[in-house]
Amino acid sequence: MKKSIIAIVMVLVSFQINAKIKLPALFTDNMMLQQKSNAPIWGWAEKNANLTIKTSWNSKIYKAKADASGKWKTELQTPTAGGPFTIEVAEGNEKVTIKNILIGEVWLCSGQSNMEMPLKGFPGQPVKNGNEIIVRSTNKNIHFITIPRATVLEPKDDFEGKWEIASPKSTANFSATAWYFGSLLQEVLNVPVGLIHVSYGGSSMEAWMNQEMLKDFASAKIPTTKEELAKDPNRVPTTLFNGMLSPVIGYGIKGCIWYQGESNYERASEYKELMKKMVSSWRALWKQGDFPFYFAQIAPFNYASFHPKDYLEKYNSAYLREAQLKASAEIPNSGMAVLMDVGEENNIHPTDKEKGGNRLAFQVLAKIYGVEGFEFESPKYKSMEIKDGSVTVSFDDVPNGITAYDAAVLGFEIAGEDKVFYPAKTVLRRKSVVLTSKKVVKPVAVRYLWKDFAKAELFSTGGLPVSSFRTDEW
């Protein structure tokens, strides 16, 4: 019996060694392809080999030729959403068949720990209603794949992983934010949805960028030795781009959702330009034009606790939230989900992941897929009018007005020319607020929830919170 098992193992090993065709983990059973697109597919074979690729949805045969290193690549024309289908990749007498392929909407989901946090939660840190969502998560029309953590000096071309079909066993360990986003898309659009999860807790934005992207940022020190990765490799520039993003670049996607920024709060002044550069560079590498890029604004949290002895005003995370707000206005085909109402003072991982995932989906459903009839944008500061010692602040994106749900609004401050801010008395109107303070006779500037940690007070009637903001640049 033992000899038979050994013989079988040796045959399998021999087959793997002699196999002419090798496909990346992205191109395996249960994969998802973007509908109505020219979806790239690639792999490896013997050098200069001629391959044929046959797709079952149209019985079309494509041809590809490997280069001198054995790498080959081609594009497949995909139909409208459907499946399951198969793809056969052949070279000579060898054939590899990819089974149970669905065609639908494919989204990249990236960032740091608040994207990485699974539905089952982190140890000792739950996700609100996570267990109930997990037990109801069986859905043959949602497939996902998670790229494992990897921090390296040179770009990788593959990883160990596989596509999974949504079920309690698989979703428990999958990103909660990505799950809420993808499952709402699947429900509303009624098409298969594929999610590619690429995140690493505690990671800086610079870690998700390569050397070329960072050349204009003097603070980004590019590593050249493994010793430089010994401490906090997830915050070392280029390491996650190389280890995790690189193997995914070029896969056919509809767009990307992003939840990151907590590890950049100390460097808020650079964040907007970093983000603009990262997004434009990712888009250039994907060669799909300005694909949709939607992201979550970091939630309020007591970041001052990280600096008990050396706290500086610039560490106030309101500056990072402001940078994200400005980036959303300057990056084409983008949008931001405001999370002022989910923050927890002493927990950087809010338990409520549903609001973030749903709000990202709201924006995408409205702006990318054209679904109408609901609110999807948080109200934004529009203008202020100063008259007789009072300030009227008006907002955009308030089709049905703003509300405080009958609670007191205490988060506004106004300042005069002395640049000293005082709490303002706030009167709500339909689409504006009127601010006054006995200590400010001639107001010139307004701030709202300009703190590390604050609880949302103003919302649209659709329940979307107003971001912290300021009218000054002091």
Side-chain angles (χ1 to χ4, degrees):
M1 181 67 177
K2 289 183 179 179
K3 289 183 179 180
S4 298
I5 294 174
I6 292 172
I8 293 172
V9 171
M10 290 181 68
V11 168
L12 290 173
V13 170
S14 175
F15 174 78
Q16 291 172 349
I17 292 173
N18 296 318
K20 296 177 181 179
I21 300 171
K22 180 180 182 297
L23 297 175
L26 284 169
F27 299 99
T28 49
D29 292 352
N30 306 316
M31 66 183 287
M32 184 84 64
L33 290 175
Q34 176 61 37
Q35 67 171 327
K36 295 181 285 187
S37 71
N38 292 318
I41 183 172
W42 63 86
W44 301 270
E46 291 186 338
K47 66 178 183 178
N48 302 319
N50 293 300
L51 299 100
T52 59
I53 301 95
K54 182 178 181 180
T55 52
S56 71
W57 55 84
N58 57 6
S59 298
K60 187 172 181 178
I61 296 177
Y62 301 80
K63 294 183 179 181
K65 185 176 180 63
D67 61 21
S69 68
K71 179 74 178 287
W72 59 268
K73 184 176 183 179
T74 190
E75 293 181 344
L76 310 176
Q77 295 177 353
T78 60
T80 55
F85 300 111
T86 61
I87 295 175
E88 294 180 357
V89 181
E91 195 276 308
N93 294 324
E94 184 183 350
K95 182 173 69 175
V96 175
T97 302
I98 311 171
K99 300 180 289 293
N100 196 36
I101 300 168
L102 295 186
I103 293 177
E105 295 298 299
V106 181
W107 283 82
L108 179 70
C109 312
S110 189
Q112 60 179 110
S113 55
N114 276 307
M115 180 63 79
E116 186 179 40
M117 192 174 191
L119 275 169
K120 70 178 184 181
F122 290 140
Q125 297 185 47
V127 166
K128 182 181 177 182
N129 300 324
N131 200 50
E132 289 79 1
I133 296 299
I134 290 168
V135 79
R136 295 184 175 97
S137 64
T138 297
N139 189 331
K140 66 180 181 180
N141 285 315
I142 299 179
H143 293 189
F144 49 78
I145 187 169
T146 296
I147 285 67
R149 288 181 169 189
T151 53
V152 295
L153 295 173
E154 298 295 333
K156 294 177 62 177
D157 56 15
D158 200 5
F159 58 91
E160 291 188 9
K162 64 178 181 178
W163 286 89
E164 298 186 271
I165 303 170
S167 69
K169 185 177 179 180
S170 61
T171 57
N173 294 300
F174 187 68
S175 163
T177 297
W179 172 260
Y180 280 114
F181 169 82
S183 59
L184 186 54
L185 255 58
Q186 199 283 314
E187 178 183 350
V188 174
L189 300 175
N190 194 30
V191 299
V193 168
L195 303 169
I196 302 172
H197 175 218
V198 191
S199 65
Y200 195 138
S203 58
S204 66
M205 178 173 283
E206 294 91 330
W208 296 102
M209 302 168 72
N210 65 12
Q211 185 171 354
E212 174 64 22
M213 299 175 199
L214 293 167
K215 65 181 182 181
D216 295 327
F217 299 92
S219 61
K221 306 302 180 184
I222 309 301
T224 57
T225 66
K226 290 183 179 180
E227 287 71 25
E228 294 174 84
L229 308 186
K231 183 180 179 181
D232 297 330
N234 53 328
R235 299 191 183 193
V236 177
T238 73
T239 56
L240 302 183
F241 177 92
N242 291 335
M244 300 176 67
L245 190 71
S246 183
V248 177
I249 291 173
Y251 192 88
I253 59 173
K254 182 68 172 183
C256 175
I257 58 170
W258 173 260
Y259 193 160
Q260 191 276 337
E262 297 90 344
S263 289
N264 283 78
Y265 80 95
E266 297 168 306
R267 308 186 306 284
S269 61
E270 288 186 319
Y271 195 85
K272 183 188 73 171
E273 294 305 318
L274 276 169
M275 191 172 196
K276 289 169 63 177
K277 186 64 177 179
M278 187 193 79
V279 174
S280 64
S281 299
W282 282 20
R283 286 170 168 170
L285 290 170
W286 248 271
K287 299 178 181 179
Q288 288 188 204
D290 287 348
F291 62 70
F293 189 94
Y294 287 79
F295 59 96
Q297 187 184 52
I298 63 170
F301 166 73
N302 181 23
Y303 286 89
S305 62
F306 295 154
H307 293 273
K309 297 180 180 180
D310 62 345
Y311 181 79
L312 301 174
E313 169 60 20
K314 71 175 184 178
Y315 297 159
N316 177 357
S317 58
Y319 291 100
L320 194 285
R321 293 195 295 271
E322 178 185 57
Q324 292 177 309
L325 186 62
K326 289 181 177 179
S328 70
E330 296 183 24
I331 298 173
N333 202 11
S334 74
M336 185 182 75
V338 177
L339 300 180
M340 294 297 295
D341 55 339
V342 306
E344 299 175 29
E345 186 170 7
N346 299 308
N347 182 9
I348 201 169
H349 303 128
T351 61
D352 188 346
K353 290 292 184 284
E354 183 175 12
K355 285 188 173 70
N358 283 355
R359 287 171 186 168
L360 288 167
F362 290 168
Q363 296 227 3
V364 165
L365 286 167
K367 293 198 273 187
I368 304 304
Y369 297 109
V371 181
E372 299 178 344
F374 67 100
E375 292 189 21
F376 55 91
E377 292 268 22
S378 277
K380 296 181 182 67
Y381 167 76
K382 178 182 179 182
S383 62
M384 67 175 181
E385 180 183 355
I386 301 170
K387 184 178 181 180
D388 299 329
S390 69
V391 184
T392 300
V393 177
S394 299
F395 299 90
D396 278 328
D397 297 313
V398 280
N400 201 37
I402 56 174
T403 181
Y405 295 106
D406 293 325
V409 178
L410 307 173
F412 280 99
E413 299 174 292
I414 58 177
E417 293 180 352
D418 61 0
K419 300 182 181 180
V420 178
F421 282 90
Y422 295 94
K425 178 182 178 182
T426 304
V427 177
L428 262 67
R429 292 180 176 172
R430 183 173 174 269
K431 295 187 177 183
S432 63
V433 295
V434 180
L435 311 175
T436 56
S437 172
K438 293 180 180 179
K439 296 184 177 181
V440 184
V441 179
K442 296 181 178 180
V444 298
V446 173
R447 291 182 175 183
Y448 171 68
L449 299 184
W450 199 257
K451 300 176 181 178
D452 245 357
F453 177 75
K455 293 184 177 180
E457 297 179 348
L458 276 185
F459 300 79
S460 71
T461 56
L464 302 177
V466 177
S467 170
S468 53
F469 70 89
R470 59 175 176 159
T471 63
D472 65 280
E473 293 186 358
W474 301 337

